[in-house]
Amino acid sequence: MIEMRRLVLLILIAALLLGGATFLIAHDPADLEFVPNLDRFALTAAYRRGGEVERANLEAELTPIPGADDNAVQLVRDIDGDGDPDEIHFHLEVVEIQEEVYPGEYVTFWVFAPLGTAMTSPARLPSPTLRVEEGDIVEITLYNTHYLPHTIHLHGTSQDNNMDGVPHMTNEEVQPGHAFTYRFVAGKPGTFWYHCHVQDQIHPSMGLAGMLIIEPNRPNNNFAHLVPGAGRITSMSKATREQYQNEYSLVYMDIDDHLNRIPAAYSDPREIEKLMHRDYDVTQAKSNIFLLNGRSFPFTLRDSPILVKPDELTKLRVLNIGPRSIFLHTHGHHPTLTDLDGYPVPKEAQITRDVFDVGPGQRADLALHTGSDGYYAAGPGVWLVHDHAQPAATNKGINPGGDHTAIIYDGFLGDDGLPKDPTGHASHEPYFNPDYYKGKVPVFDPKIFGTTLENYEKGWPTTPPAGGNFDYPKREDNLAPLPRLDLIDA
Ligand SMILES: [Cu+2]
């Protein structure tokens, strides 16, 4: 009789295990049975104990992401009973999106996105910033809802070899329609990142990459675990708040949009696969669009301003996803390098500079001092922040563009969400005109030549230049615009 019971029990366990295996290879996220979220009432004690900031952070942690499935981020357990969750499950899918990166320029990307609902997706570029606490048990389930295989590689963190996400070394590719869960225990705190490692000369550059932050462990350390895209981190962790007043994730990525045009211009996945991985040659590529947090100037000013007050310390977490080094220059300010690739720089080696070079894949954490001490900071105003490599100052060769943003002091932001110029001279209006980036608007006011806009191009001599015609790198103007998703009637 006892043997019989044992047999029944074994059959039951086997059935449960098989059920679990189905979970891993399920196609449709809607079919999945989610484990319940951490009982939210367990956190009310922390809410009652906390001050205004703690309460705001707890709300940020518990607020669902607009457009995402309620279970896209699961706070599973508070293992050590210290008032914050220590087991976090992220549920990400792969979404093809089209972004207007600067006025008139629509570019196709692939991104990891929080699991959407049946009708909506919070997908955007870059892939979301993921935040966990030191010691957390972290699971990231990748639902491959895309037409090509992908993986997730956790860059810079410590995980088991079979969780490294490299298809030809340790992991199978996650095939279209399948899912895989990457598990790791968050090790030392720092700024890391994650990206697809399938065809890694192509896929991260298509947008399959985002920042991963491991926060130092503190009791009641509540914060938003997933920040869509990147930019201002409003729910700062306890340890960051001990030292800093503001925090930003700055994700730099430059692209050659000839690559991004392929999935937008063709419709058969076989053709797209062949053109992107066999015809397109990354060794011949040259970047022509320069992105900060998924946008180029002037949208960067609107979407990724660095907002400060005098005599503050702001933490800038810089990640470079692109194929070449960036040379980040902060006008009027000399930040200090505190961490490289997620590891602290020893105090005596923490250099203070005005141009920081950050290579492909690297992270640099900077401490930005504000104020008027004339050493770290030259006073309030609107101070340009940009990659000092000249091409990065443009949108396909037209300046101003690229990853330009600004340190904007309190009182210098206009009602339109753009920085004010105290002299009243500057206006960003011309740069919100798509014609400007098509090269159809004169750089300077034709008045300086004693002419008008109408007569600007009339009456030039048509004789060849002295010494005869010559060649130089020219703007590409023979490409027709791609079909715009926002204009297609679904
Ligand atoms: Cu991929």
Side-chain angles (χ1 to χ4, degrees), residues 381-409:
V382 179
W383 298 97
L384 183 65
V385 174
H386 67 118
D387 174 359
H388 215 286
Q390 280 83 349
T394 75
N395 294 335
K396 291 190 177 173
I398 295 223
N399 175 278
D403 49 38
H404 282 187
T405 187
I407 298 165
I408 303 172
Y409 277 72

PDB file of all heavy atoms in Angstrom, residues 381-409:
ATOM      1  N   GLY A 381      23.517  77.799 -15.644  1.00  0.00           N
ATOM      2  CA  GLY A 381      23.252  78.098 -17.045  1.00  0.00           C
ATOM      3  C   GLY A 381      22.861  76.840 -17.789  1.00  0.00           C
ATOM      4  O   GLY A 381      22.323  75.896 -17.204  1.00  0.00           O
ATOM      5  N   VAL A 382      23.129  76.860 -19.097  1.00  0.00           N
ATOM      6  CA  VAL A 382      22.836  75.715 -19.968  1.00  0.00           C
ATOM      7  C   VAL A 382      24.161  75.296 -20.601  1.00  0.00           C
ATOM      8  O   VAL A 382      24.738  76.036 -21.398  1.00  0.00           O
ATOM      9  CB  VAL A 382      21.819  76.102 -21.064  1.00  0.00           C
ATOM     10  CG1 VAL A 382      21.536  74.923 -21.988  1.00  0.00           C
ATOM     11  CG2 VAL A 382      20.529  76.622 -20.444  1.00  0.00           C
ATOM     12  N   TRP A 383      24.677  74.140 -20.225  1.00  0.00           N
ATOM     13  CA  TRP A 383      26.024  73.732 -20.640  1.00  0.00           C
ATOM     14  C   TRP A 383      25.949  72.475 -21.506  1.00  0.00           C
ATOM     15  O   TRP A 383      25.459  71.444 -21.061  1.00  0.00           O
ATOM     16  CB  TRP A 383      26.887  73.466 -19.405  1.00  0.00           C
ATOM     17  CG  TRP A 383      27.088  74.667 -18.526  1.00  0.00           C
ATOM     18  CD1 TRP A 383      26.386  74.998 -17.403  1.00  0.00           C
ATOM     19  CD2 TRP A 383      28.072  75.698 -18.713  1.00  0.00           C
ATOM     20  NE1 TRP A 383      26.872  76.165 -16.877  1.00  0.00           N
ATOM     21  CE2 TRP A 383      27.900  76.614 -17.651  1.00  0.00           C
ATOM     22  CE3 TRP A 383      29.074  75.936 -19.662  1.00  0.00           C
ATOM     23  CZ2 TRP A 383      28.700  77.762 -17.511  1.00  0.00           C
ATOM     24  CZ3 TRP A 383      29.866  77.068 -19.513  1.00  0.00           C
ATOM     25  CH2 TRP A 383      29.674  77.966 -18.455  1.00  0.00           C
ATOM     26  N   LEU A 384      26.475  72.603 -22.715  1.00  0.00           N
ATOM     27  CA  LEU A 384      26.454  71.487 -23.667  1.00  0.00           C
ATOM     28  C   LEU A 384      27.209  70.266 -23.131  1.00  0.00           C
ATOM     29  O   LEU A 384      28.266  70.417 -22.507  1.00  0.00           O
ATOM     30  CB  LEU A 384      27.106  71.968 -24.980  1.00  0.00           C
ATOM     31  CG  LEU A 384      27.146  70.992 -26.154  1.00  0.00           C
ATOM     32  CD1 LEU A 384      25.747  70.677 -26.646  1.00  0.00           C
ATOM     33  CD2 LEU A 384      27.983  71.575 -27.295  1.00  0.00           C
ATOM     34  N   VAL A 385      26.664  69.081 -23.378  1.00  0.00           N
ATOM     35  CA  VAL A 385      27.328  67.807 -23.071  1.00  0.00           C
ATOM     36  C   VAL A 385      27.317  67.003 -24.363  1.00  0.00           C
ATOM     37  O   VAL A 385      26.249  66.748 -24.925  1.00  0.00           O
ATOM     38  CB  VAL A 385      26.574  67.022 -21.978  1.00  0.00           C
ATOM     39  CG1 VAL A 385      27.189  65.642 -21.778  1.00  0.00           C
ATOM     40  CG2 VAL A 385      26.559  67.805 -20.669  1.00  0.00           C
ATOM     41  N   HIS A 386      28.499  66.623 -24.868  1.00  0.00           N
ATOM     42  CA  HIS A 386      28.506  65.913 -26.153  1.00  0.00           C
ATOM     43  C   HIS A 386      29.763  65.081 -26.356  1.00  0.00           C
ATOM     44  O   HIS A 386      30.790  65.324 -25.736  1.00  0.00           O
ATOM     45  CB  HIS A 386      28.371  66.918 -27.309  1.00  0.00           C
ATOM     46  CG  HIS A 386      29.556  67.837 -27.483  1.00  0.00           C
ATOM     47  ND1 HIS A 386      30.324  67.841 -28.628  1.00  0.00           N
ATOM     48  CD2 HIS A 386      30.099  68.763 -26.664  1.00  0.00           C
ATOM     49  CE1 HIS A 386      31.281  68.753 -28.499  1.00  0.00           C
ATOM     50  NE2 HIS A 386      31.172  69.331 -27.330  1.00  0.00           N
ATOM     51  N   ASP A 387      29.620  64.092 -27.230  1.00  0.00           N
ATOM     52  CA  ASP A 387      30.747  63.302 -27.717  1.00  0.00           C
ATOM     53  C   ASP A 387      31.562  64.225 -28.625  1.00  0.00           C
ATOM     54  O   ASP A 387      31.034  64.742 -29.618  1.00  0.00           O
ATOM     55  CB  ASP A 387      30.182  62.104 -28.489  1.00  0.00           C
ATOM     56  CG  ASP A 387      31.261  61.273 -29.168  1.00  0.00           C
ATOM     57  OD1 ASP A 387      32.452  61.616 -29.070  1.00  0.00           O
ATOM     58  OD2 ASP A 387      30.870  60.273 -29.803  1.00  0.00           O
ATOM     59  N   HIS A 388      32.828  64.437 -28.269  1.00  0.00           N
ATOM     60  CA  HIS A 388      33.609  65.449 -28.982  1.00  0.00           C
ATOM     61  C   HIS A 388      34.134  64.983 -30.345  1.00  0.00           C
ATOM     62  O   HIS A 388      34.730  65.762 -31.094  1.00  0.00           O
ATOM     63  CB  HIS A 388      34.761  65.960 -28.121  1.00  0.00           C
ATOM     64  CG  HIS A 388      35.044  67.411 -28.329  1.00  0.00           C
ATOM     65  ND1 HIS A 388      35.661  67.893 -29.461  1.00  0.00           N
ATOM     66  CD2 HIS A 388      34.753  68.495 -27.576  1.00  0.00           C
ATOM     67  CE1 HIS A 388      35.759  69.210 -29.377  1.00  0.00           C
ATOM     68  NE2 HIS A 388      35.213  69.605 -28.244  1.00  0.00           N
ATOM     69  N   ALA A 389      33.930  63.710 -30.703  1.00  0.00           N
ATOM     70  CA  ALA A 389      34.272  63.274 -32.061  1.00  0.00           C
ATOM     71  C   ALA A 389      33.366  64.035 -33.026  1.00  0.00           C
ATOM     72  O   ALA A 389      32.142  64.044 -32.860  1.00  0.00           O
ATOM     73  CB  ALA A 389      34.055  61.776 -32.199  1.00  0.00           C
ATOM     74  N   GLN A 390      33.955  64.675 -34.029  1.00  0.00           N
ATOM     75  CA  GLN A 390      33.189  65.608 -34.869  1.00  0.00           C
ATOM     76  C   GLN A 390      31.960  64.993 -35.537  1.00  0.00           C
ATOM     77  O   GLN A 390      30.900  65.633 -35.554  1.00  0.00           O
ATOM     78  CB  GLN A 390      34.091  66.266 -35.921  1.00  0.00           C
ATOM     79  CG  GLN A 390      34.923  67.411 -35.382  1.00  0.00           C
ATOM     80  CD  GLN A 390      36.207  66.959 -34.705  1.00  0.00           C
ATOM     81  OE1 GLN A 390      36.390  65.772 -34.464  1.00  0.00           O
ATOM     82  NE2 GLN A 390      37.094  67.893 -34.407  1.00  0.00           N
ATOM     83  N   PRO A 391      32.053  63.775 -36.096  1.00  0.00           N
ATOM     84  CA  PRO A 391      30.843  63.254 -36.747  1.00  0.00           C
ATOM     85  C   PRO A 391      29.656  63.177 -35.790  1.00  0.00           C
ATOM     86  O   PRO A 391      28.505  63.337 -36.200  1.00  0.00           O
ATOM     87  CB  PRO A 391      31.273  61.850 -37.206  1.00  0.00           C
ATOM     88  CG  PRO A 391      32.752  61.941 -37.355  1.00  0.00           C
ATOM     89  CD  PRO A 391      33.211  62.884 -36.266  1.00  0.00           C
ATOM     90  N   ALA A 392      29.928  62.958 -34.486  1.00  0.00           N
ATOM     91  CA  ALA A 392      28.855  62.798 -33.502  1.00  0.00           C
ATOM     92  C   ALA A 392      28.145  64.107 -33.190  1.00  0.00           C
ATOM     93  O   ALA A 392      27.184  64.122 -32.429  1.00  0.00           O
ATOM     94  CB  ALA A 392      29.401  62.179 -32.217  1.00  0.00           C
ATOM     95  N   ALA A 393      28.620  65.209 -33.756  1.00  0.00           N
ATOM     96  CA  ALA A 393      27.936  66.501 -33.584  1.00  0.00           C
ATOM     97  C   ALA A 393      26.889  66.711 -34.667  1.00  0.00           C
ATOM     98  O   ALA A 393      26.350  67.811 -34.819  1.00  0.00           O
ATOM     99  CB  ALA A 393      28.956  67.632 -33.619  1.00  0.00           C
ATOM    100  N   THR A 394      26.606  65.669 -35.453  1.00  0.00           N
ATOM    101  CA  THR A 394      25.715  65.833 -36.612  1.00  0.00           C
ATOM    102  C   THR A 394      24.655  64.735 -36.695  1.00  0.00           C
ATOM    103  O   THR A 394      24.798  63.669 -36.100  1.00  0.00           O
ATOM    104  CB  THR A 394      26.502  65.786 -37.940  1.00  0.00           C
ATOM    105  OG1 THR A 394      26.873  64.422 -38.215  1.00  0.00           O
ATOM    106  CG2 THR A 394      27.757  66.647 -37.901  1.00  0.00           C
ATOM    107  N   ASN A 395      23.612  65.035 -37.453  1.00  0.00           N
ATOM    108  CA  ASN A 395      22.658  64.026 -37.918  1.00  0.00           C
ATOM    109  C   ASN A 395      22.952  63.821 -39.402  1.00  0.00           C
ATOM    110  O   ASN A 395      22.652  64.696 -40.217  1.00  0.00           O
ATOM    111  CB  ASN A 395      21.218  64.507 -37.743  1.00  0.00           C
ATOM    112  CG  ASN A 395      20.850  64.671 -36.269  1.00  0.00           C
ATOM    113  OD1 ASN A 395      21.440  64.025 -35.404  1.00  0.00           O
ATOM    114  ND2 ASN A 395      19.878  65.539 -36.002  1.00  0.00           N
ATOM    115  N   LYS A 396      23.584  62.721 -39.743  1.00  0.00           N
ATOM    116  CA  LYS A 396      23.989  62.441 -41.125  1.00  0.00           C
ATOM    117  C   LYS A 396      24.701  63.652 -41.734  1.00  0.00           C
ATOM    118  O   LYS A 396      24.366  64.108 -42.838  1.00  0.00           O
ATOM    119  CB  LYS A 396      22.786  62.038 -41.984  1.00  0.00           C
ATOM    120  CG  LYS A 396      22.223  60.676 -41.609  1.00  0.00           C
ATOM    121  CD  LYS A 396      21.202  60.224 -42.628  1.00  0.00           C
ATOM    122  CE  LYS A 396      20.677  58.840 -42.314  1.00  0.00           C
ATOM    123  NZ  LYS A 396      19.577  58.452 -43.197  1.00  0.00           N
ATOM    124  N   GLY A 397      25.649  64.187 -40.973  1.00  0.00           N
ATOM    125  CA  GLY A 397      26.501  65.250 -41.497  1.00  0.00           C
ATOM    126  C   GLY A 397      25.967  66.653 -41.292  1.00  0.00           C
ATOM    127  O   GLY A 397      26.659  67.618 -41.620  1.00  0.00           O
ATOM    128  N   ILE A 398      24.749  66.798 -40.780  1.00  0.00           N
ATOM    129  CA  ILE A 398      24.197  68.145 -40.582  1.00  0.00           C
ATOM    130  C   ILE A 398      24.232  68.516 -39.100  1.00  0.00           C
ATOM    131  O   ILE A 398      23.738  67.775 -38.240  1.00  0.00           O
ATOM    132  CB  ILE A 398      22.760  68.234 -41.145  1.00  0.00           C
ATOM    133  CG1 ILE A 398      22.847  68.029 -42.656  1.00  0.00           C
ATOM    134  CG2 ILE A 398      22.098  69.555 -40.744  1.00  0.00           C
ATOM    135  CD1 ILE A 398      22.011  68.931 -43.496  1.00  0.00           C
ATOM    136  N   ASN A 399      24.881  69.640 -38.832  1.00  0.00           N
ATOM    137  CA  ASN A 399      25.074  70.142 -37.480  1.00  0.00           C
ATOM    138  C   ASN A 399      24.047  71.254 -37.198  1.00  0.00           C
ATOM    139  O   ASN A 399      23.730  72.015 -38.123  1.00  0.00           O
ATOM    140  CB  ASN A 399      26.515  70.682 -37.386  1.00  0.00           C
ATOM    141  CG  ASN A 399      26.818  71.348 -36.062  1.00  0.00           C
ATOM    142  OD1 ASN A 399      26.474  72.517 -35.873  1.00  0.00           O
ATOM    143  ND2 ASN A 399      27.454  70.624 -35.171  1.00  0.00           N
ATOM    144  N   PRO A 400      23.533  71.438 -35.969  1.00  0.00           N
ATOM    145  CA  PRO A 400      23.791  70.620 -34.777  1.00  0.00           C
ATOM    146  C   PRO A 400      22.930  69.364 -34.774  1.00  0.00           C
ATOM    147  O   PRO A 400      21.808  69.369 -35.254  1.00  0.00           O
ATOM    148  CB  PRO A 400      23.399  71.562 -33.642  1.00  0.00           C
ATOM    149  CG  PRO A 400      22.349  72.460 -34.223  1.00  0.00           C
ATOM    150  CD  PRO A 400      22.692  72.609 -35.682  1.00  0.00           C
ATOM    151  N   GLY A 401      23.495  68.301 -34.228  1.00  0.00           N
ATOM    152  CA  GLY A 401      22.760  67.040 -34.201  1.00  0.00           C
ATOM    153  C   GLY A 401      23.450  66.063 -33.280  1.00  0.00           C
ATOM    154  O   GLY A 401      24.127  66.456 -32.335  1.00  0.00           O
ATOM    155  N   GLY A 402      23.314  64.784 -33.582  1.00  0.00           N
ATOM    156  CA  GLY A 402      23.990  63.740 -32.814  1.00  0.00           C
ATOM    157  C   GLY A 402      23.540  63.662 -31.378  1.00  0.00           C
ATOM    158  O   GLY A 402      22.380  63.905 -31.054  1.00  0.00           O
ATOM    159  N   ASP A 403      24.522  63.325 -30.508  1.00  0.00           N
ATOM    160  CA  ASP A 403      24.146  63.034 -29.115  1.00  0.00           C
ATOM    161  C   ASP A 403      24.242  64.269 -28.220  1.00  0.00           C
ATOM    162  O   ASP A 403      24.377  64.143 -27.009  1.00  0.00           O
ATOM    163  CB  ASP A 403      24.993  61.879 -28.572  1.00  0.00           C
ATOM    164  CG  ASP A 403      26.473  62.070 -28.845  1.00  0.00           C
ATOM    165  OD1 ASP A 403      26.947  63.223 -28.750  1.00  0.00           O
ATOM    166  OD2 ASP A 403      27.157  61.073 -29.168  1.00  0.00           O
ATOM    167  N   HIS A 404      24.159  65.473 -28.795  1.00  0.00           N
ATOM    168  CA  HIS A 404      24.184  66.704 -27.997  1.00  0.00           C
ATOM    169  C   HIS A 404      23.059  66.723 -26.967  1.00  0.00           C
ATOM    170  O   HIS A 404      21.894  66.573 -27.305  1.00  0.00           O
ATOM    171  CB  HIS A 404      23.958  67.930 -28.902  1.00  0.00           C
ATOM    172  CG  HIS A 404      25.168  68.341 -29.663  1.00  0.00           C
ATOM    173  ND1 HIS A 404      25.224  69.490 -30.423  1.00  0.00           N
ATOM    174  CD2 HIS A 404      26.385  67.767 -29.787  1.00  0.00           C
ATOM    175  CE1 HIS A 404      26.409  69.601 -30.978  1.00  0.00           C
ATOM    176  NE2 HIS A 404      27.125  68.567 -30.619  1.00  0.00           N
ATOM    177  N   THR A 405      23.416  66.927 -25.694  1.00  0.00           N
ATOM    178  CA  THR A 405      22.411  67.304 -24.704  1.00  0.00           C
ATOM    179  C   THR A 405      23.025  68.389 -23.845  1.00  0.00           C
ATOM    180  O   THR A 405      24.025  69.002 -24.250  1.00  0.00           O
ATOM    181  CB  THR A 405      21.895  66.102 -23.889  1.00  0.00           C
ATOM    182  OG1 THR A 405      20.810  66.544 -23.067  1.00  0.00           O
ATOM    183  CG2 THR A 405      22.965  65.483 -23.010  1.00  0.00           C
ATOM    184  N   ALA A 406      22.448  68.669 -22.667  1.00  0.00           N
ATOM    185  CA  ALA A 406      22.976  69.776 -21.867  1.00  0.00           C
ATOM    186  C   ALA A 406      22.755  69.547 -20.384  1.00  0.00           C
ATOM    187  O   ALA A 406      21.802  68.874 -19.982  1.00  0.00           O
ATOM    188  CB  ALA A 406      22.319  71.092 -22.292  1.00  0.00           C
ATOM    189  N   ILE A 407      23.687  70.092 -19.590  1.00  0.00           N
ATOM    190  CA  ILE A 407      23.465  70.236 -18.145  1.00  0.00           C
ATOM    191  C   ILE A 407      22.623  71.505 -18.002  1.00  0.00           C
ATOM    192  O   ILE A 407      23.052  72.586 -18.428  1.00  0.00           O
ATOM    193  CB  ILE A 407      24.801  70.394 -17.398  1.00  0.00           C
ATOM    194  CG1 ILE A 407      25.676  69.154 -17.591  1.00  0.00           C
ATOM    195  CG2 ILE A 407      24.562  70.686 -15.913  1.00  0.00           C
ATOM    196  CD1 ILE A 407      27.138  69.364 -17.206  1.00  0.00           C
ATOM    197  N   ILE A 408      21.436  71.368 -17.476  1.00  0.00           N
ATOM    198  CA  ILE A 408      20.522  72.513 -17.393  1.00  0.00           C
ATOM    199  C   ILE A 408      20.235  72.806 -15.918  1.00  0.00           C
ATOM    200  O   ILE A 408      19.693  71.960 -15.209  1.00  0.00           O
ATOM    201  CB  ILE A 408      19.207  72.219 -18.153  1.00  0.00           C
ATOM    202  CG1 ILE A 408      19.511  71.863 -19.619  1.00  0.00           C
ATOM    203  CG2 ILE A 408      18.263  73.416 -18.076  1.00  0.00           C
ATOM    204  CD1 ILE A 408      18.311  71.372 -20.396  1.00  0.00           C
ATOM    205  N   TYR A 409      20.624  73.999 -15.498  1.00  0.00           N
ATOM    206  CA  TYR A 409      20.416  74.378 -14.100  1.00  0.00           C
ATOM    207  C   TYR A 409      18.960  74.766 -13.855  1.00  0.00           C
ATOM    208  O   TYR A 409      18.245  75.180 -14.787  1.00  0.00           O
ATOM    209  CB  TYR A 409      21.343  75.541 -13.733  1.00  0.00           C
ATOM    210  CG  TYR A 409      22.740  75.096 -13.347  1.00  0.00           C
ATOM    211  CD1 TYR A 409      23.631  74.619 -14.314  1.00  0.00           C
ATOM    212  CD2 TYR A 409      23.170  75.155 -12.024  1.00  0.00           C
ATOM    213  CE1 TYR A 409      24.909  74.210 -13.970  1.00  0.00           C
ATOM    214  CE2 TYR A 409      24.453  74.753 -11.667  1.00  0.00           C
ATOM    215  CZ  TYR A 409      25.320  74.279 -12.633  1.00  0.00           C
ATOM    216  OH  TYR A 409      26.585  73.872 -12.285  1.00  0.00           O
TER     217      TYR A 409
END
